[in-house]
Amino acid sequence: MKPTDAKALVAVVVGTGALVGLGAAIVWHVATPSNMNPDREFGWYSYTPIRPAWFPTSLYLVGAGVLIASILASFLADSGLRIRSAAHRSRTGLFALLVVVGGALGFGAALAWEYWPPNPGDPGADVAALVPANGLYMAVGGIDTTGYTPLTSQWDDESAFDPVVEHPWLVFPLGGAAIAGAVALSLSIRDFRLLRHDSE
């Protein structure tokens, strides 16, 4: 097997792992929408951030995708598989390989979701600006509510944080397969195919 062919296979599989990990990180962040809490007495709203922080979760998920895909790519390369420009060959092999890889990585993300679900992150600087020194919320629009009854903060109520992905065992594997399929389609358009070393 030529080194360039092996490197192309590893790069494609590892890149797919990174993209699937990034997709999982996005789901982790947006799984729960931010809340707007109404103040019934004054008709104003306060912003309560309950989404998890981007970091370090994003690094963990992307890194896990890259690590798992790297291990898998090394086995695939050792087995004689490679990626090369060959317009006359079938596209099926490349699609099948990447879709299976993407689905397997998505399955791993679903497993992580079950045992390591997203948790609320730390409030950012913009949110901190809404809270005066006395701990009372400031209404949206910059009106000072000092002396008014503070709004109930769902930040301190962990029960308010409820991830909305109801079927992670479907969402993550199907999402991973879709991402991998898009990568395979992009490569196929450029006439790249999956070949074996002994198929020439």
Side-chain angles (χ1 to χ4, degrees), residues 81-102:
L81 293 176
R82 63 185 178 183
I83 291 179
R84 174 180 288 185
S85 179
H88 61 285
R89 296 298 183 95
S90 173
R91 303 179 180 182
T92 305
L94 183 60
F95 270 95
L97 174 65
L98 292 186
V99 167
V100 169
V101 169

Side-chain angles (χ1 to χ4, degrees), residues 39-129:
D39 183 339
R40 297 180 180 178
E41 182 178 358
F42 299 102
W44 296 333
Y45 290 85
S46 68
Y47 175 74
T48 303
I50 58 176
R51 286 179 176 171
W54 281 107
F55 299 100
T57 304
S58 300
L59 295 178
Y60 293 156
L61 292 172
V62 175
V66 170
L67 177 61
I68 296 172
S70 298
I71 296 173
L72 179 59
S74 66
F75 284 105
L76 293 174
D78 291 340
S79 70
L81 293 176
R82 63 185 178 183
I83 291 179
R84 174 180 288 185
S85 179
H88 61 285
R89 296 298 183 95
S90 173
R91 303 179 180 182
T92 305
L94 183 60
F95 270 95
L97 174 65
L98 292 186
V99 167
V100 169
V101 169
L105 291 171
F107 181 84
L111 186 65
W113 179 274
E114 288 293 322
Y115 293 98
W116 183 45
N119 294 304
D122 296 328
D126 294 339
V127 176

Side-chain angles (χ1 to χ4, degrees), residues 1-10 12 76-86 89 93-94 97 192-200:
M1 178 184 297
K2 295 182 179 180
T4 54
D5 297 332
K7 289 180 179 178
L9 175 66
V10 172
V12 168
L76 293 174
D78 291 340
S79 70
L81 293 176
R82 63 185 178 183
I83 291 179
R84 174 180 288 185
S85 179
R89 296 298 183 95
L94 183 60
L97 174 65
F192 286 101
R193 303 291 189 266
L194 181 69
L195 304 174
R196 291 195 64 87
H197 180 59
D198 55 3
S199 64
E200 290 186 323

